[in-house]
Amino acid sequence: MFETIAWSDEGVVMIDQRKLPAVEEYPVFKTYEEVAQAIKDMVIRGAPAIGVAAAMGVALGAESIKSRDPKRFDQEFQSICTTLAATRPTAVNLFWAIERMKGVYRRHKSRGPAAVAAALKTEALRIHDEDIRLNRRMGSHGAALIQDGSRVLTHCNAGALATAGYGTALGVIRAAVEQGKRVEVLADETRPFLQGARLTVWELQKDDIPVTLITDNMAGYYMKQGQVDCVVVGADRIAANGDVANKIGTYSVAVLAREHQIPFYVAAPLSTVDLDVPTGDEIPIEQRSPREVTHLGERAIAPDGAPAGNPAFDVTPHRYVAAIITDAGVARPPFLENLRDLKGRAGNLDSHADSALSL
Ligand code: MRU
C-alpha cells in the first residue's frame, strides 16, 4: 500500500501525485517553503491532505526558526503560517489546520522554542492520524446509504490520495465493500487535471474495487441508461447552508443526477464545513493556469495562444444534495440546522485540545 504523506527525520514525504499513475515517487520536502510549493503545484492535493501537509509544513518551519528572541520567533512563525495559507484558496481544511497549529503555538510558546516545536510536530501527526480515523468513521456512516450491487459514480479523487488515508467519498465505497457489498464505480476522468483517470482509478485498482473510467461528458449517458444508482463526491468547502464547493464539474453531475432522480451524496469531514461562510457564493474559487486546459502534459491540444478558462472548483447548491456524510453522522436537509447541530455536538464530544502529557 502507499502512503500519501508522512513525517520523516529528513522532512515531509509525499507521493508525487502529478506523476501518477506512470511513476510512484516519494520526494522529501525539507523546508516549509518546499511544502508550500508542493501544495501549490499539486504534488499533494485534496482538501484533507492539503490540511495535513500545511500542518506538517508549519511544524517543519517552526523547527527551523533560529532566533531565540520571543518577538522574532513570533514574527517568523506568523510568516510561515501566512506562506502556507497563501497556497490554495478554496479548501477550508488548509486554513482549519493552520488555525489549529496556531492554537498549539499560543498554548506552548511560553515554554520556549524547543518545546513549542515539539508540540507543533505532535499536533501535525495528530491531525494526520485523526484524519484516517475520521475517514473510517465517515465510511461506516456512509456505507449504510450504498445498497448491495450499487453502481456509484464519483468525480475527481476523494480517496486515500486526497486525505491522510482511506478517503472520504472513496472511504464510503471502501467501507461498503468491507461490509461485503458488491459495488462498481464509474470514475469521471475529471478534466483538466485528470484526478479521476490518474488517481481514482489507480487507487481503486490497487484495492481490487471494480472501476470503469468515463470522460466527464459521458455521465449523462450512463445515468440515462439507468447505470448509476447514486453519486458520491468529496468537498473542498461546505457552506453553512449546505452549498458544496468541489472539483469543477461536480455541479454538472449534481444537476444531471437530479434530472435522473439519482441521489447525490457528499462525503466530507466536519472540518470541511465552514459555518463562517453562509452560502456557496462566498466561497473563493481558485483560478488555475490556462495551460492545464490547453495542454495535456507537455502536448498542446489547442491552437497556440488560445485563451482558456480554468476555474478549479464549482459550487453545487444545497438543493441538489440528498445527504452530507460526515464523521459525526449523516446530515439531511435542512442543512442549515442539521450541519450546525452535528458540528456543535462533535465539538462537545471531541476535544482537539492537546495536553502536555501527550507530548
Ligand atoms: O484540485 P484538487 O485535486 O485538490 O481538488 C480535489 C477535490 O476537489 C476533492 O474532491 C476534494 O478535495 C475532496 S478530497 C477528500
Side-chain angles (χ1 to χ4, degrees):
M1 215 31 200
F2 60 91
E3 262 202 287
T4 304
I5 179 164
W7 180 273
S8 81
D9 289 343
E10 286 78 47
V12 181
V13 185
M14 304 180 207
I15 187 167
D16 190 339
Q17 302 197 24
R18 300 165 307 177
K19 298 193 173 161
L20 289 171
V23 181
E24 191 174 333
E25 221 170 70
Y26 294 85
V28 184
F29 299 87
K30 297 191 167 126
T31 64
Y32 79 89
E33 289 100 331
E34 284 180 13
V35 172
Q37 199 58 45
I39 297 173
K40 242 185 203 160
D41 294 345
M42 294 178 57
V43 170
I44 190 158
R45 30 67 49 198
I50 292 172
V52 174
M56 289 188 178
V58 171
L60 202 59
E63 272 185 356
S64 70
I65 300 176
K66 297 273 175 295
S67 173
R68 291 300 179 247
D69 168 51
K71 204 162 161 212
R72 194 67 216 280
F73 195 93
D74 213 71
Q75 282 166 348
E76 287 193 36
F77 180 78
Q78 297 308 331
S79 143
I80 290 164
C81 293
T82 307
T83 303
L84 285 155
T87 49
R88 297 194 71 193
T90 304
V92 74
N93 308 62
L94 175 82
F95 309 101
W96 168 88
I98 293 171
E99 280 311 309
R100 215 168 125 170
M101 297 300 279
K102 282 184 177 174
V104 170
Y105 175 71
R106 280 193 296 272
R107 287 195 293 279
H108 291 267
K109 66 178 182 182
S110 60
R111 298 173 55 216
V116 83
L120 288 165
K121 176 183 156 191
T122 302
E123 187 69 1
L125 297 181
R126 189 179 287 146
I127 290 174
H128 175 279
D129 295 352
E130 196 180 274
D131 186 55
I132 301 175
R133 194 159 41 82
L134 297 184
N135 289 340
R136 287 194 173 271
R137 250 194 240 168
M138 199 185 307
S140 66
H141 293 308
L145 302 174
I146 311 284
Q147 310 303 315
D148 183 29
S150 285
R151 290 149 305 177
V152 181
L153 185 138
T154 191
H155 189 73
C156 193
N157 171 265
L161 287 165
T163 60
Y166 202 68
T168 58
L170 297 193
V172 169
I173 291 167
R174 285 196 165 96
V177 170
E178 283 165 16
Q179 290 176 1
K181 292 175 182 166
R182 288 158 303 145
V183 180
E184 283 175 36
V185 178
L186 272 180
D188 281 353
E189 69 171 343
T190 320
R191 279 273 292 149
F193 209 71
L194 304 176
Q195 290 94 329
R198 297 188 303 103
L199 309 176
T200 294
V201 173
W202 184 78
E203 65 166 270
L204 289 180
Q205 279 186 341
K206 273 191 179 282
D207 274 5
D208 287 325
I209 296 175
V211 54
T212 302
L213 172 64
I214 60 172
T215 62
D216 299 332
N217 50 5
M218 293 174 188
Y221 170 88
Y222 281 96
M223 289 185 185
K224 192 146 176 269
Q225 297 289 315
Q227 293 189 44
V228 179
D229 298 301
C230 68
V231 176
V232 187
V233 297
D236 285 82
R237 197 187 295 222
I238 300 174
N241 70 346
D243 289 352
V244 174
N246 191 47
K247 181 49 55 194
I248 191 75
T250 303
Y251 172 45
S252 321
V253 174
V255 173
L256 279 169
R258 167 59 53 84
E259 171 66 20
H260 296 92
Q261 281 145 39
I262 295 165
F264 179 89
Y265 300 126
V266 175
L270 282 176
S271 50
T272 303
V273 177
D274 185 356
L275 296 180
D276 294 338
V277 161
T279 77
D281 293 344
E282 291 82 40
I283 299 177
I285 300 295
E286 177 183 7
Q287 305 288 327
R288 293 189 63 86
S289 161
R291 200 185 151 88
E292 290 177 355
V293 175
T294 56
H295 287 66
L296 267 184
E298 289 309 304
R299 192 162 65 86
I301 55 165
D304 231 12
N310 192 9
F313 302 96
D314 58 27
V315 172
T316 298
H318 61 88
R319 66 177 180 280
Y320 292 108
V321 180
I324 298 176
I325 303 157
T326 76
D327 43 283
V330 176
R332 297 270 185 185
F335 292 118
L336 192 61
E337 289 94 80
N338 294 341
L339 285 175
R340 192 170 292 274
D341 195 43
L342 273 187
K343 277 266 260 203
R345 274 193 284 147
N348 292 340
L349 297 173
D350 206 354
S351 167
H352 293 317
D354 60 325
S355 76
L357 279 179
S358 61
L359 294 177

